[in-house]
Amino acid sequence: APALRFHRPLQPFLDPDIQSSPVRSSSFTNCIAGAHNTEEIGVGLTIAGISFMGLGVAMLFDGGLLAIGNILFLAGLFLVIGAQRTYAFFARREKLRGTACFFGGILLVFLKWPVIGMLVELFGFINLFGTCAEYARGLQGE
């Protein structure tokens, strides 16, 4: 039997009968060597954060689920758009009221006032991302 030549350490796990052909691309190898891992992880964290927040609201404003959702959402946003853009987004002069309400709502959730915290956070979220909704409505009407 001819000797197997492995081009990468993962090749025996992918297909042990391959002798000299290149390794097929898989999500596992892309995860190890991918250039945009932080964006993919950030999207996953953002989706998980939104899911935890939705579950927290569905469970009658469970503070623990809402807090975990807030942390995951912010971590995901940070990984998707980067540190400088995140800071620039939240620190804009015209968005300071929305930023203060958003982070104030998160603080209220952490201080065990989940209903009031989520309402304040929702108001801040609308102030922060309201222009995105207006832009989307404008694109929809065209």
Side-chain angles (χ1 to χ4, degrees):
L4 294 176
R5 293 179 15 198
F6 300 118
H7 295 285
R8 294 190 180 147
L10 295 177
Q11 188 171 358
F13 300 109
L14 298 176
D15 192 354
D17 296 327
I18 296 177
Q19 291 183 5
S20 62
S21 63
V23 175
R24 284 181 248 139
S25 177
S26 71
S27 61
F28 184 70
T29 56
N30 288 341
C31 182
I32 291 174
H36 48 73
N37 284 340
T38 56
E39 289 92 358
E40 292 174 358
I41 294 170
V43 168
L45 287 176
T46 304
I47 291 170
I50 292 170
S51 300
F52 270 92
M53 283 191 274
L55 190 59
V57 170
M59 299 292 256
L60 301 176
F61 293 95
D62 181 50
L65 290 173
L66 293 172
I68 292 170
N70 284 327
I71 291 169
L72 291 175
F73 178 77
L74 289 175
L77 185 69
F78 180 80
L79 289 176
V80 168
I81 65 175
Q84 289 179 337
R85 287 184 184 170
T86 302
Y87 176 76
F89 177 76
F90 284 113
R92 280 189 275 170
R93 189 181 232 1
E94 64 271 6
K95 302 280 185 179
L96 284 179
R97 181 178 65 177
T99 300
C101 288
F102 185 72
F103 286 110
I106 291 173
L107 181 66
L108 287 172
V109 168
F110 287 155
L111 294 175
K112 305 290 184 189
W113 290 56
V115 176
I116 296 171
M118 283 304 293
L119 291 174
V120 172
E121 191 176 338
L122 180 66
F123 179 75
F125 188 83
I126 290 170
N127 280 314
L128 283 171
F129 297 101
T131 56
C132 297
E134 292 172 9
Y135 178 73
R137 266 188 250 123
L139 288 177
Q140 188 180 26
E142 291 179 3

